[in-house]
Amino acid sequence: MIQLITESSYEAFSCTLASMYKLRYRVFKERLDWSVITSGDMEMDEFDLLCPAYLVQTSPDGRVEGTVRLLPTTGPTMVRDTFPMLLGGLPAPLDPQVWESSRFAIDVPPDCRKGEHGLAKATYELFAGMLEFGLARRLNSIVTVTDVRMERILKRAGWSLSRIAPPCTIGNTLALAGHLEVSADVLQKVRAAGAISGPVLWTPVLLEAA
């Protein structure tokens, strides 16, 4: 199950959001050892103060196991304001039909269900949720800052990243920025590779809506 949480529903999902910040701490601070802002056992930064949309994935028993943050590029973004060095001198996206994704994180047990190429089904489901979100808002693409490891995962899932510029080393990460196409065709590929039979968001987006 993937829940879309926006500013109007923050209060109703306060416990879910707290669990999401804890998941981000486990992934980005403990597992990846990124230089991130933390508060106790939670990870959050200034972009969480901009009323982003969150996709939060939960297991059948209610445990938060995945998340991604989404912000419009018409306002502050990580690629513009934190990592402009990844743009290769090009301007940052500034388009109502392009949103930025960040803080994509999955934390599932090793014996979790798998889709094609050995990727966790939860990964495919969160990718599908991002695409459904984008189609519902008639986006052309989602821009993201990621690393080469995640770039390979996206390619294996059928959602290849279009690089804006060559990767750069930031801390202990080989990072890059790029665009992810938002289209019904890509959603079909991701659903097929992940053995996903239909919409994953509570507010469904059907292929015909694109």
Side-chain angles (χ1 to χ4, degrees):
M1 180 185 74
I2 297 178
Q3 179 67 52
L4 169 62
I5 303 176
T6 58
E7 182 182 9
S8 62
S9 57
Y10 284 177
E11 185 174 354
F13 290 97
S14 59
C15 291
T16 300
L17 290 174
S19 296
M20 178 199 73
Y21 291 129
K22 291 178 181 179
L23 178 146
R24 282 170 37 176
Y25 180 92
R26 294 195 302 272
V27 171
F28 298 115
K29 181 64 176 178
E30 295 185 334
R31 184 189 304 169
L32 297 177
D33 193 27
W34 286 6
S35 178
V36 291
I37 300 170
T38 61
S39 177
D41 61 352
M42 298 184 184
E43 184 277 315
M44 56 187 70
D45 63 19
E46 65 270 28
F47 295 98
D48 292 302
L49 303 177
L50 301 176
C51 303
Y54 299 102
L55 300 185
V56 180
Q57 187 173 38
T58 55
S59 63
D61 62 2
R63 187 180 73 89
V64 172
E65 59 183 14
T67 184
V68 66
R69 179 175 65 192
L70 296 151
L71 279 165
T73 60
T74 51
T77 58
M78 296 195 80
V79 71
R80 178 188 301 114
D81 302 297
T82 306
F83 299 110
M85 71 288 291
L86 299 178
L87 293 170
L90 297 173
L94 181 63
D95 186 335
Q97 291 183 298
V98 179
W99 279 46
E100 179 186 73
S101 72
S102 57
R103 293 302 192 258
F104 183 100
I106 296 284
D107 185 19
V108 292
D111 60 351
C112 67
R113 294 176 300 157
K114 301 292 196 299
E116 287 185 3
H117 310 295
L119 297 179
K121 186 161 184 178
T123 300
Y124 284 106
E125 289 173 345
L126 199 48
F127 286 162
M130 292 169 63
L131 284 157
E132 291 176 19
F133 175 92
L135 288 170
R137 284 152 184 77
R138 301 188 182 281
L139 304 185
N140 293 326
S141 71
I142 294 173
V143 67
T144 190
V145 171
T146 188
D147 59 26
V148 292
R149 176 194 61 86
M150 190 64 185
E151 183 186 34
R152 291 192 294 269
I153 290 173
L154 284 159
K155 185 175 182 180
R156 286 158 60 192
W159 199 12
S160 294
L161 184 76
S162 177
R163 291 182 176 184
I164 294 175
C168 294
T169 299
I170 299 176
N172 60 0
T173 302
L174 189 57
L176 70 157
H179 286 272
L180 293 163
E181 177 189 344
V182 173
S183 70
D185 286 344
V186 175
L187 177 57
Q188 282 183 307
K189 289 179 184 178
V190 170
R191 284 179 176 174
I196 300 169
S197 59
V200 298
L201 294 183
W202 271 117
T203 304
V205 178
L206 302 177
L207 292 176
E208 292 77 15

